[in-house]
Amino acid sequence: DILLEILKEAGVHTIFGIPSIHNLGLYEALRKDGSVRHILCRHETTATHMADGYARESGTPGVVITSTGPGAGYAVPALQEAYGSSSPVLMITTNIAASKIGKGLGTLHEVKEQDVIFKNITKAVFTIRTEEDIENLTREALNTLQLGRPGPAYLEVPTDLMNREIGAKRDLGTNKTVQQTDLPDLKEAITLIKNAERPLLVVGTAAVRACMTEEVVNLAETLAAPVIFTPSARGLIPDKHPLALGNCARSGTIRETASSSDLALAIGTRLREVDAKRRGLVLPHLIHVDWDNEWTDRNFPSNISLSGDMRGIVRALIKSLEPPLDRERRLQRVHEISLKIQGEEAEISRNHREMTYLKVIRHVLPEEGTLVVDNTQLGYWSEYFYPCNVPGGWMGAKGSAIIGFAFAAAIGAKIASPEKPILAVIGDGGFLYSTQELATCLKHGIGFPVIVVNNKSFGIIAYLQKKFHKCEYESRLMNPDFVALANAYGIAARRVTSPDGLGQALDEALSSGEMRIIELLEDFPEPPFGKY
């Protein structure tokens, strides 16, 4: 009851989870209260993905309940994805009775040092062991989610405390989150920016989590500087904005623009190897602005590191800067760069059918909608070339490059924004990680289209095997009839084989407001990474 009351005070009104023998007390509290919506899921991994998608879409914590031992363990890959994507997910899990923890008695679901499993894939682990811990540690866990760099937290409650009466109701305090307010010294950074002639902005996931659209647009327009993005930051400023160039991992003109710049201002990006360095990105004279210094100098040496309140830092920079005297020359340069990029994309479209499918999706899905993609071939193409014009309008599993994310995360996103058009794209391999959640959609009246790209293989693996070893091995799949599978759940489905067919099916599915499966029979042979 106390735990639930603190969650409600923090604004939690939706929880994902599965009841078990060890969390009966928490579910009884949910039943008695009745004001918090519980989404009954069919697997802990997908439940955690739903909480993750909910958190990314809503900007508020996503909460998932799991059981002890194996139930907690099933959440590991999804929590790793949330951690890598700076998503504020609170995992509430149980353990065996407090008096038996660490005794090795062979208690049901007992795992030695269960909390240790989660220490490296969360911001923090909170283990309640007494009644007195419940209030303070629950508040600490909630504050940790969004204090500084957002991310998941682990809250463990032994089963005996879940079921114990503690007497008179306590006078609970309130949740308090204290954010860092002091700004670092900006003088050296301001001088470097003022002296630059070809500045470049590199924007990442943390800037999206901090809702920094206004700040990034103002800074870019003040400097007349082009902006490139890590994948999950796409749409922070609209792709149609004249200063937005696209994904920082792309080669060709975008990479040339980065290497020819004389200053890179990285905002809210960890500049991870997977996002930038291994793609060949070069960033001369780097100013790195982030929540903290954890990722500073790991892959790109910085001239200046500015950490703390990112919004405050960027606002202070804007206040200290004036439009450059050569503003028109800079804008003309960016315009010429944009024309070259458009030419490159036109040529790519002539040679790759994937681009036609992306145009169909972009045409049918309203601009304010969210496209949730899995790590599948069409998803990779969308990461590079899908036009995104709203923050969070492209959502992908880039934290740990997991498969099976998109369908479940789209469920969470749709629950967070029931009136917003949501569309998921997932491969046949990834979809079979999560098809059981069709039952969850049916139970809770959740409806949106899911495009299942069926090429009867783990397509990216087959591509890599042929690239490096000249031959595929164990990448071909035996699939069910996906239309019949959806129909078995009472969900309408349709099979398509062309861009026109996909467009018609998508238009009808979005108009219906119902859960729809669209099986796309198409084989996309390669990702864009190698060439583009």
Side-chain angles (χ1 to χ4, degrees), residues 38 49 181 196 327 331 405-406:
H38 178 264
H49 284 322
T181 55
R327 175 180 172 79
L331 291 174
F405 164 87

XYZ file of all heavy atoms in Angstrom, residues 38 49 181 196 327 331 405-406:
67
model
N -3.434 -1.387 -14.627
C -2.440 -2.453 -14.739
C -2.610 -3.148 -16.082
O -3.714 -3.542 -16.457
C -2.591 -3.480 -13.619
C -1.613 -4.613 -13.730
N -1.924 -5.818 -14.328
C -0.312 -4.707 -13.353
C -0.864 -6.604 -14.313
N 0.126 -5.961 -13.721
N 9.807 -4.052 -22.143
C 9.824 -3.247 -23.370
C 8.622 -2.307 -23.418
O 8.733 -1.159 -23.880
C 9.783 -4.151 -24.607
C 11.081 -4.822 -24.934
N 12.296 -4.193 -24.787
C 11.345 -6.062 -25.430
C 13.261 -5.025 -25.181
N 12.716 -6.152 -25.564
N 21.949 22.596 -10.582
C 21.628 23.907 -11.146
C 22.872 24.722 -11.480
O 22.814 25.630 -12.306
C 20.749 24.708 -10.168
O 21.411 24.787 -8.889
C 19.392 24.037 -9.979
N 34.997 30.117 -34.481
C 34.751 29.095 -35.510
C 34.072 29.711 -36.726
O 33.249 30.626 -36.603
C 33.887 27.977 -34.942
N 26.902 35.204 -41.542
C 25.721 34.341 -41.410
C 25.183 33.902 -42.780
O 24.878 32.725 -42.983
C 24.632 35.084 -40.627
C 23.312 34.338 -40.535
C 22.275 35.135 -39.747
N 20.968 34.519 -39.821
C 20.581 33.464 -39.110
N 21.419 32.894 -38.270
N 19.378 32.972 -39.239
N 24.716 30.106 -44.198
C 23.428 29.546 -44.616
C 23.485 29.041 -46.055
O 22.900 27.996 -46.380
C 22.328 30.599 -44.466
C 21.946 30.985 -43.029
C 20.950 32.136 -43.034
C 21.368 29.788 -42.288
N 11.946 -5.833 -29.879
C 11.580 -4.638 -29.124
C 10.328 -3.943 -29.663
O 9.463 -3.505 -28.914
C 12.767 -3.671 -29.159
C 12.484 -2.252 -28.761
C 12.534 -1.863 -27.437
C 12.210 -1.271 -29.724
C 12.305 -0.549 -27.066
C 11.976 0.045 -29.372
C 12.027 0.407 -28.039
N 10.226 -3.825 -30.987
C 9.321 -2.840 -31.590
C 7.849 -3.075 -31.276
O 7.123 -2.129 -30.965
C 9.535 -2.789 -33.100
